[in-house]
Amino acid sequence: MSPASCIAVIMRRRWLTLALSLLVIGGLAAGAGHLATVDVDVRNHFGKDNPHIVALDRLEDTYALSDAAFVAVAPQAGTVFTREALAAIDELTEQLWLTPHVTRVDSITNYSHSQGIGDDLVVETLVTDAGSLSDEDLERIERIALQTEEVAGRFVSRDGRVAGLIVSVALPPDRQLGKAEVTDYLHAVAAQARGKYSAIDYHLTGEIILNSAMREAVETDTGLLGPVAFAAMLLVALVLLRSIWATVTIFVMLVCVLLSSLGFAGWTGMTLFGESGAALFVLMSVTVAHSVHIIEAVMEGMRQGLDRQGAVTRSLELNLWPVFLTSLTTAIGFLSLNMADMPPFQVMGNIVAFGSMGAFACSVTLLPALLSLLPLRAGKPGPGALAFFDRFGRFVVSYRTILLCSSGAVMVVLVAGISRVELQENWLEHLDESYEFRRSIDFVSENFSGVETYEYSLDAGREGGITDVGYLERVDAFVEWYREQPEVVHVFAITDILKRLNMNLHGDDPDERVLPASSDLAAQYLLLYEFSLPVGRDLNNLINVERSTSRVSVVLSSLTSTEKIELDDRAHEWLRRNAPGMETRATGIAVVGAYSIQRNIEDMLIGTFIAMTIVSSILLLVFRSLRLGLITLIPNFFPAAMAMGLWGYLVVEVGISAAVVTAIAFGIIVDDTIHFMTKYVSARKRGELPSQSVQYAFRNVGRPLMVTTLVFALGFLVFAASGLIPNQTLGLLTGMTVIIALVADFLLLPPLLMLLDGARESQDEIRERLAREGSTPLPP
């Protein structure tokens, strides 16, 4: 059946079309009930086969590591080495042992301090009965804490002004429920402590607390920004279309497309993530764009004397093919997100791909049925709207050479800004300063130590080999090398404990703070120390059960992703040269983020290239011109690069959003190019010259393109108000890109078409034609 026949059937059977459309949409929407709660677990943002996630899981299994939270205790004046502060820390330590699912609590007050008395090794907690400590006791505790590498920078800041407590928990199978129980308890304990010790500040950080804060941010985005964007788009449509009934149809379209897309996600078992919210903003924009193009054509037809049904039929005839193409190319662009090794972006891409085709289906069934049934009236167009784009088209034609040169120069300058962009990915900084968690992270980073760590598991080569002197010497050399690196703020390893034990068993002589002289001594010291530790304070978090590997923890200062990778490369090279057989890469969330942003950018460039190739091939077939197909690549590809360059000049740092913004932007901005080119090619087929065809395109789609771009930009700029930094970046970058793309479609694409599309026209010929049309030619 031909498109004309389909349109005729839809218009004859309007009520049936409406009923069947709503029935299908209702069936799809029912799937929304199968959607689980939004997944905010940072680790689930990466593929299960991500090599860095696999390495991190292996390290945590090896050393019985578990999820953890960090509590910073900061007296508002002075240091933590006062009776009141130490008493507060001691009480908090006891309270934290009551945390749901807790396995271990570490703090300065329960730190197992060792000392040698004669031939005996005495291990006891550093602080006991804090309220009755003498001044001499306080001085002794301060001296030990700040001079012990295991404590300074780990349980207390090096200036002694902030203490840190680490709460380790083993979450139950229902991790979401377990995390909620832990975070609720920790917030309650911190609030109670603030009430009792008003002169002390408390800050909660860590991966578990981050997940809770991210869930709050996602709920805010969904409950506030989504409705704001929805209402804003409807308001823009109302102002520009000047029709309440037209706005009502757009409202119905938005509801149907969003519900059916969410239902599709539910029926197919997708998991929603915080970043998935971007899919809804994109679909709202796509739906409004399709609706505006069709409604504008309907109202224009009615102004020209057609009845409502005839105007709807004519609008479908004009827009069926462009709307289908834009939906298809949008789907292809977003399907390229499956190349990313991040489930959130894969889910976003699949939802938008389905939703964009769903928006097309609704645009050619539900929308025309509604428009033909509702009492839609064709008001007068906005004052001077059509005249403006007619004049603007003449301006572009007259100044085509100047516009081409200036646009090219601006493009080169903006693209050059990409060299200034620095990739920065820190999952603990994914929230902005409006959230308490982010303020706590910034406080800890500035006043305690870094918030990101590298973890190494160094292999001794045999069971029980971690006490071999040769192995210990290589580990110690690696630790000392790391301490010399300017990017590092703290390093801790089993060798620090053994050097302290050797000093203890040599009369606490500081000169004996070295590794034991023999492997047997090292094994004896370690065994003696472990037997002296209280329950729950063993060394399983530093050495594995077989005693064949030990763990080295490195705390980093604030680094870009590139700097993190360079540091890991240097460390790997040091191990290769100085500790053969122990070569390994760092692991940890910091490593996952650093490598993943680089890996995803590479994957997404490939995905975008594939999508562009497919879309370009489609456009070649549609326009039946290799030249036109290649010309359209420029305004479709370069706007994303120009936006990224502008970001480099204005902001510099960008996170994981950079990996997907090109694919997202391409999936959107190609729509404007298709609508412009469709009208241009239509005019060329009628025998019009390139300059005349450009003017025809401006007169017919200039206003709809401006409206839809405003809608797209508005939606993403609202998304930029998110409390999640990746969403802010994605919203701003995509909003900038669609605006730049419209400028390119208006100021760069037309001059390119007039320059490269066959029939060449001289400046004099164009000026004479414009004069005959009643326009005053612009000066050369």
Side-chain angles (χ1 to χ4, degrees):
M1 186 180 291
S2 67
S5 300
C6 293
I7 294 172
V9 170
I10 290 171
M11 298 311 298
R12 280 201 311 269
R13 307 289 178 84
R14 290 170 292 171
W15 284 105
L16 179 61
T17 300
L18 183 63
L20 289 177
S21 299
L22 293 177
L23 182 64
V24 172
I25 291 167
L28 284 170
H34 297 283
L35 287 172
T37 57
V38 177
D39 190 343
V40 294
D41 193 324
V42 168
R43 303 195 185 195
N44 291 341
H45 282 55
F46 304 97
K48 298 299 182 183
D49 59 347
N50 183 302
H52 303 292
I53 284 288
V54 172
L56 178 57
D57 290 341
R58 187 186 307 121
L59 178 124
E60 291 181 338
D61 290 341
T62 299
Y63 299 104
L65 299 179
S66 55
D67 295 271
F70 183 85
V71 184
V73 179
Q76 296 170 3
T79 70
V80 299
F81 301 108
T82 64
R83 295 176 188 85
E84 181 186 37
L86 290 176
I89 296 169
D90 194 31
E91 289 180 23
L92 183 59
T93 302
E94 295 302 317
Q95 288 290 317
L96 293 179
W97 273 110
L98 302 177
T99 303
H101 317 296
V102 69
T103 59
R104 181 178 182 131
V105 179
D106 293 289
S107 73
I108 186 177
T109 58
N110 72 353
Y111 165 68
S112 298
H113 172 62
S114 63
Q115 58 181 330
I117 300 179
D119 293 331
D120 296 328
L121 178 68
V122 177
V123 180
E124 56 188 3
T125 55
L126 182 60
V127 179
T128 55
D129 194 11
S132 61
L133 292 173
S134 65
D135 291 343
E136 291 76 12
D137 291 332
L138 293 174
E139 291 176 2
R140 178 184 65 85
I141 292 170
E142 181 176 5
R143 182 179 66 256
I144 292 172
L146 298 183
Q147 292 179 358
T148 304
E149 196 63 40
E150 303 156 59
V151 178
R154 188 171 172 226
F155 300 137
V156 65
S157 61
R158 295 190 182 277
D159 61 5
R161 302 182 67 85
V162 183
L165 297 85
I166 302 172
V167 187
S168 301
V169 297
L171 294 174
D174 188 345
R175 289 177 58 85
Q176 298 299 333
L177 176 61
K179 288 177 181 178
E181 292 173 343
V182 171
T183 53
D184 288 347
Y185 179 81
L186 292 179
H187 282 297
V189 168
Q192 181 181 357
R194 292 187 187 102
K196 185 174 182 179
Y197 297 96
S198 58
I200 299 177
D201 294 327
Y202 295 83
H203 301 272
L204 302 179
T205 67
E207 194 175 321
I208 289 181
I209 309 299
L210 168 63
N211 290 336
S212 174
M214 287 184 68
R215 180 172 298 281
E216 179 186 349
V218 169
E219 291 173 353
T220 300
D221 286 358
T222 306
L224 178 61
L225 297 185
V228 167
F230 192 95
M233 290 182 185
L234 288 177
L235 180 61
V236 170
L238 177 62
V239 170
L240 296 175
L241 294 175
R242 299 170 179 267
S243 169
I244 293 178
W245 286 113
T247 306
V248 169
T249 60
I250 292 177
F251 172 82
V252 174
M253 285 283 291
L254 284 171
V255 171
C256 291
V257 171
L258 293 180
L259 287 180
S260 59
S261 300
L262 290 175
F264 165 75
W267 285 123
T268 54
M270 293 184 189
T271 299
L272 297 184
F273 299 85
E275 295 82 353
S276 302
L280 303 183
F281 285 80
V282 173
L283 288 178
M284 283 191 281
S285 301
V286 168
T287 303
V288 172
H290 289 350
S291 302
V292 166
H293 280 287
I294 292 174
I295 293 172
E296 280 270 13
V298 170
M299 298 176 76
E300 181 60 27
M302 293 174 67
R303 292 187 196 104
Q304 294 176 2
L306 294 175
D307 61 16
R308 189 165 59 245
Q309 188 168 342
V312 173
T313 300
R314 180 172 180 273
S315 176
L316 281 182
E317 291 171 349
L318 291 173
N319 289 290
L320 179 65
W321 189 234
V323 169
F324 171 73
L325 280 179
T326 55
S327 299
L328 179 62
T329 53
T330 297
I332 292 171
F334 276 88
L335 283 174
S336 69
L337 291 179
N338 284 283
M339 294 292 292
D341 185 32
M342 293 189 69
F345 294 121
Q346 295 171 357
V347 169
M348 181 203 305
N350 292 330
I351 290 177
V352 173
F354 175 85
S356 64
M357 297 310 298
F360 163 73
C362 289
S363 297
V364 297
T365 55
L366 177 64
L367 180 59
L370 285 172
L371 291 174
S372 63
L373 293 170
L374 293 175
L376 182 69
R377 295 182 182 276
K380 294 181 180 180
L386 297 178
F388 170 78
F389 280 101
D390 188 56
R391 290 195 302 271
F392 188 75
R394 296 172 188 271
F395 167 79
V396 172
V397 167
S398 298
Y399 280 101
R400 65 190 187 283
T401 303
I402 295 175
L403 290 175
L404 182 62
C405 294
S406 58
S407 298
V410 171
M411 182 172 65
V412 170
V413 171
L414 289 182
V415 171
I418 294 177
S419 62
R420 297 171 54 86
V421 171
E422 293 182 358
L423 301 178
Q424 171 66 291
E425 192 60 36
N426 182 346
W427 289 93
L428 294 175
E429 296 179 356
H430 267 201
L431 295 166
D432 65 17
E433 289 77 6
S434 65
Y435 287 89
E436 181 184 350
F437 176 85
R438 176 56 188 270
R439 295 193 296 272
S440 294
I441 280 291
D442 290 342
F443 176 86
V444 171
S445 181
E446 295 169 5
N447 298 279
F448 192 87
S449 64
V451 293
E452 293 189 288
T453 61
Y454 274 180
E455 301 288 351
Y456 290 89
S457 180
L458 302 181
D459 191 356
R462 69 175 185 86
E463 188 172 331
I466 62 162
T467 53
D468 291 347
V469 168
Y471 170 80
L472 292 173
E473 288 175 345
R474 291 193 296 274
V475 172
D476 190 50
F478 182 55
V479 168
E480 293 303 324
W481 174 84
Y482 243 129
R483 285 174 178 155
E484 294 173 357
Q485 307 311 304
E487 305 97 327
V488 174
V489 296
H490 185 263
V491 186
F492 179 61
I494 191 68
T495 51
D496 294 312
I497 294 177
L498 283 168
K499 288 196 285 187
R500 171 166 56 85
L501 295 175
N502 191 71
M503 180 186 71
N504 296 150
L505 294 172
H506 284 81
D508 284 331
D509 182 357
D511 292 336
E512 293 296 329
R513 196 179 187 89
V514 294
L515 291 172
S518 69
S519 301
D520 288 341
L521 275 178
Q524 292 173 22
Y525 289 173
L526 199 58
L527 184 62
L528 180 61
Y529 181 67
E530 289 183 280
F531 277 138
S532 304
L533 291 173
V535 176
R537 304 280 300 156
D538 55 48
L539 298 180
N540 288 343
N541 62 334
L542 289 176
I543 56 180
N544 68 343
V545 175
E546 295 81 11
R547 295 175 176 262
S548 60
T549 63
S550 70
R551 173 181 162 220
V552 175
S553 297
V554 181
V555 181
L556 309 175
S557 59
S558 180
L559 303 177
T560 66
S561 294
T562 302
E563 290 170 339
K564 292 173 190 173
I565 293 173
E566 290 175 350
L567 177 61
D568 185 36
D569 287 340
R570 296 205 313 268
H572 184 263
E573 179 63 16
W574 189 96
L575 287 172
R576 188 187 68 81
R577 291 184 177 182
N578 299 281
M582 291 170 56
E583 305 100 301
T584 185
R585 290 283 184 177
T587 187
I589 286 294
V591 178
V592 175
Y595 281 97
S596 289
I597 186 173
Q598 185 179 61
R599 176 179 176 182
N600 277 288
I601 286 176
E602 294 171 356
D603 290 346
M604 286 314 307
L605 285 176
I606 296 172
T608 305
F609 177 77
I610 294 173
M612 289 182 64
T613 301
I614 296 173
V615 170
S616 299
S617 300
I618 292 173
L619 295 182
L620 289 178
L621 293 174
V622 171
F623 299 137
R624 300 179 184 275
S625 169
L626 175 63
R627 181 170 54 249
L628 292 181
L630 294 176
I631 290 174
T632 59
L633 288 178
I634 296 176
N636 288 334
F637 176 74
F638 281 98
M642 294 165 70
M644 190 66 70
L646 182 59
W647 189 273
Y649 287 121
L650 300 178
V651 182
V652 179
E653 289 187 354
V654 69
I656 197 68
S657 301
V660 296
V661 70
T662 301
I664 291 175
F666 176 74
I668 294 173
I669 62 182
V670 70
D671 295 4
D672 285 356
T673 305
I674 287 175
H675 280 288
F676 191 95
M677 288 297 298
T678 300
K679 294 299 183 289
Y680 174 85
V681 171
S682 174
R684 290 286 284 137
K685 286 180 178 178
R686 295 197 306 270
E688 302 284 352
L689 292 170
S691 62
Q692 294 172 309
S693 301
V694 164
Q695 289 178 258
Y696 174 80
F698 272 115
R699 281 194 298 269
N700 284 273
V701 295
R703 174 182 162 85
L705 291 187
M706 183 185 71
V707 172
T708 55
T709 298
L710 285 175
V711 169
F712 272 118
L714 179 63
F716 278 101
L717 291 177
V718 169
F719 195 54
S722 168
L724 291 166
I725 298 295
N727 288 354
Q728 290 180 8
T729 304
L730 185 63
L732 287 171
L733 272 175
T734 308
M736 289 163 52
T737 302
V738 296
I739 293 173
I740 291 174
L742 180 68
V743 174
D745 280 332
F746 279 1
L747 301 182
L748 178 61
L749 178 60
L752 280 174
L753 290 171
M754 286 183 283
L755 176 67
L756 301 175
D757 185 25
R760 302 294 296 273
E761 302 172 86
S762 69
Q763 179 73 10
D764 290 339
E765 290 173 332
I766 292 175
R767 289 169 58 81
E768 290 175 5
R769 180 178 61 77
L770 293 176
R772 288 195 303 271
E773 293 173 358
S775 170
T776 303
L778 296 167

